[in-house]
Amino acid sequence: MEWHVTDAQSLAIIDSEIGDHVFSPAEYEIVRRVIYATSDFEYQSLIRFSEHALQAGAAALAARTTIVVDVPMVQVGIAYDIQNTFANPVYCSMEALTRPQKERTRSAWGIETLAKRYPEGIFVVGQAQTALTTLVDLIEAEEIRPALIIATPAGFINVTADKERLQDSLVPYITIDSRKGNAVVASAIVDGLVDLAWQAYGQDRTGVS
């Protein structure tokens, strides 16, 4: 992310209002990015990180692991940081070539197709709950083993249950423990993670553009 003086000033306000916290420095960077993107301080009590999620995600980014997202808004939201750092391939479930299926949404069918193609990828679900359900089903069936899942879809039907199933899996995750969430939150998490990973690994990859 390119920073302007107003960005620094806004982050300083966030730091001041949050004050003391229990997050690790890396986790806090993700939390403040989400709050900055949404102006919603409630997220500081809603974001959940699995153990070693940030380490696993950063290592996967540095290894140029394929990223699969559920909707174009997330793809566009993370494109700049990805292209200017590790240049990971990014695919969107809505753009995957699939056969029509009335019983399932386009995003669910598309993310299943891409998940089976990239079973150890990084998956980002910012909007489509059906995509998250599909991923959790595939994990429980031991068909995929993602490097990291970022799941922030809003919803009222089964979204909490799907997030709980994700948290019960052995897959590294970052999610929201609430009905709240959206593609903006997902993009903010990815951008924060990319910047953290670039600080950790980027000095050895200066040829990447």
Side-chain angles (χ1 to χ4, degrees), residues 38-186:
T38 62
S39 298
D40 188 343
F41 279 83
E42 187 179 3
Y43 279 110
Q44 68 178 303
S45 63
L46 299 178
I47 297 180
R48 298 289 181 268
F49 302 90
S50 69
E51 188 175 7
H52 307 308
L54 297 181
Q55 296 94 320
L61 286 168
R64 299 187 69 178
T65 300
T66 295
I67 301 171
V68 176
V69 306
D70 61 333
V71 292
M73 185 175 178
V74 175
Q75 187 174 27
V76 172
I78 68 176
Y80 180 85
D81 268 7
I82 292 294
Q83 290 170 2
N84 287 279
T85 53
F86 301 105
N88 304 64
V90 181
Y91 297 103
C92 179
S93 70
M94 301 292 286
E95 298 172 357
L97 296 177
T98 61
R99 60 183 176 83
Q101 191 177 56
K102 293 182 179 179
E103 293 79 14
R104 304 177 68 187
T105 65
R106 182 178 174 186
S107 58
W109 189 242
I111 210 158
E112 177 175 321
T113 299
L114 292 170
K116 290 182 176 180
R117 191 176 303 165
Y118 307 104
E120 297 181 351
I122 298 170
F123 294 86
V124 186
V125 180
Q127 180 172 309
Q129 181 191 335
T130 54
L132 176 58
T133 303
T134 297
L135 286 176
V136 174
D137 287 344
L138 291 170
I139 291 168
E140 291 178 347
E142 299 184 351
E143 294 188 45
I144 63 172
R145 182 69 177 178
L148 175 70
I149 291 184
I150 296 170
T152 66
F156 295 96
I157 302 174
N158 295 328
V159 69
T160 301
D162 286 338
K163 291 177 180 178
E164 289 175 351
R165 290 170 63 201
L166 173 61
Q167 293 177 22
D168 288 339
S169 75
L170 298 178
V171 171
Y173 65 79
I174 304 172
T175 189
I176 305 298
D177 192 14
S178 168
R179 292 175 172 178
K180 294 178 68 170
N182 53 47
V184 172
V185 173

